[in-house]
Amino acid sequence: MQEQKRHPTIEDVARTAGVSRAAVSKVLRNAYGVSPAMKERVDAAIEHLHYRPRVAARAMRGSSFTLGIEIPDFGNHFFTRLLGGATRALVGTPYQLIIAPAEGGSQEGYRAIEALADRQVDGIVAISPLVSPEWLERLAERTPLVMLGRHDRSTGYDTVVGDDAAGARLVLDHLLGLGHRRIAHLTRSEDVTVPSSGTPHSIRLAVYLERMRAAGHENQVRVVRTGEGEEAAEAAAAELLRSEPTPTAIFAAHDELAIGALRAVDEAGLDVSVAGYDDIRIAAQPGISLTTVDQSGEEMGERAVRLLLDRIAGRTEPVHEVFAPTLVPRRSTRAPAESVTAGSPAAAAAG
Amino acid sequence: MQEQKRHPTIEDVARTAGVSRAAVSKVLRNAYGVSPAMKERVDAAIEHLHYRPRVAARAMRGSSFTLGIEIPDFGNHFFTRLLGGATRALVGTPYQLIIAPAEGGSQEGYRAIEALADRQVDGIVAISPLVSPEWLERLAERTPLVMLGRHDRSTGYDTVVGDDAAGARLVLDHLLGLGHRRIAHLTRSEDVTVPSSGTPHSIRLAVYLERMRAAGHENQVRVVRTGEGEEAAEAAAAELLRSEPTPTAIFAAHDELAIGALRAVDEAGLDVSVAGYDDIRIAAQPGISLTTVDQSGEEMGERAVRLLLDRIAGRTEPVHEVFAPTLVPRRSTRAPAESVTAGSPAAAAAG
DNA sequence: ACTCGGAATTGAACCGATTCATCGGCTCAA
DNA sequence: TTGAGCCGATGAATCGGTTCAATTCCGAGT
């Protein structure tokens, strides 16, 4: 181990300022009961020694002034939207954000959240959709907790979530309205779409099935599974496009998948509409111009942090907030080539 | 404050297992000198109580088994490439990664790094190019440190950096080779390009100036400044494209800026080549197809973490690693419309 | 039977902050 | 003059682990 200088402690500050440790502690937390004269002396000593309190020591009795946020996947840019909002919400507070990545399997969510709890954070924002509600309830008994993107309504923790049913309906109605009938749904593996598990992807899938049935296209239903990331999505979409009859539109469960699908469509040289979900920044790029659903990730992240701060301040009744999504139609979706007017084959024959 | 259950402590474990606290501690760290029988008893007690040691308490004497990484901007996807590599390098180690975002001004870099140091991390990987070497040296006396993207060669900390001079030369030679003469350089504000400050952007700028001069085009030099993010880059590029004479190519200092520039070019309806730097994932998308320089961010992130682990294990001699970049030519760069063959106006006249 | 040596185990000190009961000094009213 | 009340400041206890010197245990050697 390399030779390292010792950090100055509160004891050192107290000695150089000629006061007690307790006094220094009070100044640090600007607690009640310090004379201006003493505060000045102590501040001078702190400045002189370049003293900084150790969070680990503070955390043993007081609080760590640290909030933890767990993120499943940095590859998904929607999560960076959330992060941006969360970061913004902490400006001007004494809290520091630390992020625990959970890339890997579904078990990584537990690991990352526990890692945060072990570090005595004052509160946690988490995203993993796969951890069980019971486990979260138990966690919430010890640490204030806000979950992002969960539809369960716990009494122990708060939730901030987009209205996935409404958003998926926007997409389906948009595609059906354009005249599409052979609409495929590109989504993640079964474990994140277990029916009525309440994950966003399970809801988007359910709405897809329900809407296709309501429109009388249940025989056109086609659900394609893929792993995380656009490479996997591209491969899955490519395979889909090779099989007959090819769909005229693909509803991807989130934008990263949609980006991969666009790649496959481009590669295959077909005219297939693609819609995504999340409205990540790149979706607006002219060369991509992806139709998608905006669920204002920054605001969700910001709101989650504010709820957490409320909870730390003492609130105990749970809050469950739902954000209304909006459709952002762009060039990646258009009427199918084969039918001239929407929804009416007769019109096409007459044209 | 909401009523919260008490965490089980090492004392509780010791009591239920019928051994001493010291014994439990040894089992936790699987240190030398525990009988299999005792280990089994202790493990059972830990399991039974759902005990998890508190990192804060461990950190007071031992280590926190936490590595910190400071990231200036989540909006820049190159940094998420670095993060991906860093995360991968920690799989299978007892260390947990925590990330401190430094979004905001240049002072945020100091804040975020200090926040990590305050949290007693066992080592730090940092990216901010603007913090001073002296400050970093002082930090490195206390905490093992690896800097990403810095060209200074400190004795106190390691560095992992791409060869920015070589990378920029690849881009310039590519553009010049295609026949471009009016090449503009789109880069960040002056504070990150101070000459010989050693920041990547200062080097890319210096190479641009040097190459333009060497090719005899110093009168075509055009440096455009922009803030962070593609919106700002788009605005700056749009303004550039409105001024006469319009450049035939834009070398953007990194891909996010290039994406913004592409947007402005598309908007203006001009035929202007755009090249970037970093090879973020989206650059390969068909609709974007951005010519750029790959500096294998994942490997850099991975390498940085490995060097940090080495340092924690005891290494003291500094290591300075340089990654060789490669050019990735794509459709966003092509020969300028006005000259038929490269570099020879005479040939165009004869054609 | 007795000593010796090494491994297993323990008790107590320690890390650096916060917290709280207590104390000293000062003001002001009786 | 005395005592109540208040405020600023302090010493000691405390948080939950790790570390280390000291102690016990156990089997081998004489």
Side-chain angles (χ1 to χ4, degrees), chain A:
Chain A
M1 181 63 77
Q2 80 188 49
E3 193 55 49
Q4 280 162 13
K5 280 197 203 162
R6 211 176 54 80
H7 214 73
T9 74
I10 201 172
E11 175 69 47
D12 300 326
V13 175
R15 201 166 337 104
T16 54
V19 299
S20 71
R21 296 217 308 276
V24 177
S25 175
K26 281 187 167 186
V27 172
L28 285 177
R29 295 169 292 121
N30 50 50
Y32 173 80
V34 291
S35 64
M38 187 176 77
K39 175 166 166 52
E40 197 171 335
R41 288 235 306 281
V42 170
D43 281 340
I46 288 174
E47 176 69 24
H48 177 248
L49 295 175
H50 295 296
Y51 167 77
R52 293 184 64 88
R54 294 197 165 197
V55 172
R58 311 185 83 165
M60 295 219 50
R61 301 222 52 181
S63 51
S64 64
F65 296 105
T66 307
L67 301 187
I69 180 165
E70 177 259 357
I71 292 278
D73 175 19
F74 280 110
N76 188 334
H77 297 327
F78 177 62
F79 296 141
T80 60
R81 284 189 72 180
L82 294 172
L83 275 183
T87 307
R88 227 196 351 258
L90 285 181
V91 174
T93 73
Y95 290 93
Q96 166 71 25
L97 193 67
I98 68 176
I99 303 158
E103 300 189 53
S106 59
Q107 295 311 308
E108 284 300 296
Y110 288 101
R111 270 221 343 134
I113 295 174
E114 278 184 329
L116 290 172
D118 293 345
R119 275 156 191 80
Q120 290 285 102
V121 293
D122 295 337
I124 294 177
V125 175
I127 305 191
S128 276
L130 288 185
V131 298
S132 81
E134 299 75 32
W135 190 85
L136 290 174
E137 289 283 4
R138 230 175 320 135
L139 172 68
E141 289 172 1
R142 308 207 145 84
T143 309
L145 176 67
V146 178
M147 295 299 301
L148 273 165
R150 287 185 74 106
H151 290 270
D152 43 84
R153 313 193 132 250
S154 151
T155 57
Y157 51 89
D158 302 331
T159 58
V160 174
V161 66
D163 188 340
D164 288 289
R169 252 179 256 123
L170 288 173
V171 173
L172 267 298
D173 290 350
H174 170 70
L175 292 174
L176 291 168
L178 285 170
H180 290 280
R181 298 169 55 201
R182 288 205 303 283
I183 303 172
H185 184 44
L186 179 62
T187 187
R188 296 272 313 280
S189 53
E190 277 83 359
D191 52 347
V192 291
T193 65
V194 174
S196 67
S197 64
T199 66
H201 282 38
S202 73
I203 293 176
R204 294 171 197 175
L205 170 59
V207 168
Y208 162 75
L209 296 173
E210 183 264 318
R211 262 338 201 217
M212 288 295 276
R213 198 170 306 122
H217 305 327
E218 57 253 273
N219 55 333
Q220 309 284 7
V221 161
R222 185 85 188 270
V223 176
V224 180
R225 304 288 180 167
T226 173
E228 272 184 274
E230 46 177 84
E231 285 86 357
E234 179 182 359
E239 172 151 358
L240 165 66
L241 294 175
R242 273 194 298 273
S243 67
E244 289 289 342
T246 54
T248 62
I250 299 176
F251 169 32
H254 63 253
D255 283 355
E256 300 291 335
L257 302 182
I259 299 276
L262 278 178
R263 221 143 147 171
V265 167
D266 183 272
E267 183 69 29
L270 296 172
D271 176 25
V272 174
S273 289
V274 175
Y277 205 108
D278 287 344
D279 198 22
I280 61 176
R281 218 177 35 193
I282 200 69
Q285 189 72 4
I288 292 182
S289 193
L290 175 69
T291 295
T292 185
V293 175
D294 181 13
Q295 48 176 345
S296 45
E298 289 84 359
E299 280 148 65
M300 288 176 70
E302 194 167 340
R303 191 80 192 110
V305 166
R306 291 203 194 291
L307 287 176
L308 192 56
L309 292 175
D310 281 1
R311 238 178 211 285
I312 291 170
R315 175 171 55 75
T316 54
E317 333 80 70
V319 172
H320 301 287
E321 203 137 331
V322 179
F323 276 69
T326 57
L327 184 75
V328 185
R330 295 202 182 94
R331 292 198 305 275
S332 72
T333 50
R334 51 212 168 268
E338 55 205 85
S339 84
V340 175
T341 58
S344 162

Side-chain angles (χ1 to χ4, degrees), chain A residues 281, chain B residues 72-73 75-79 129 164 171 185-189 192-193 200-202 204-205 224 226-234 250-262 274-280 282-283 290-293 295:
Chain A
R281 218 177 35 193
Chain B
D73 175 20
N76 188 334
H77 297 329
F78 176 62
F79 296 141
D164 289 289
V171 173
H185 183 45
L186 179 62
T187 187
R188 297 272 312 281
S189 54
V192 290
T193 64
H201 281 38
S202 73
R204 295 171 198 175
L205 170 59
V224 180
T226 173
E228 273 183 275
E230 46 178 82
E231 285 86 357
E234 179 182 359
I250 298 175
F251 168 31
H254 64 253
D255 283 355
E256 299 292 335
L257 303 182
I259 300 276
L262 278 177
V274 174
Y277 205 107
D278 286 345
D279 198 22
I280 61 176
I282 200 70
L290 176 67
T291 295
T292 186
V293 174
Q295 48 175 347

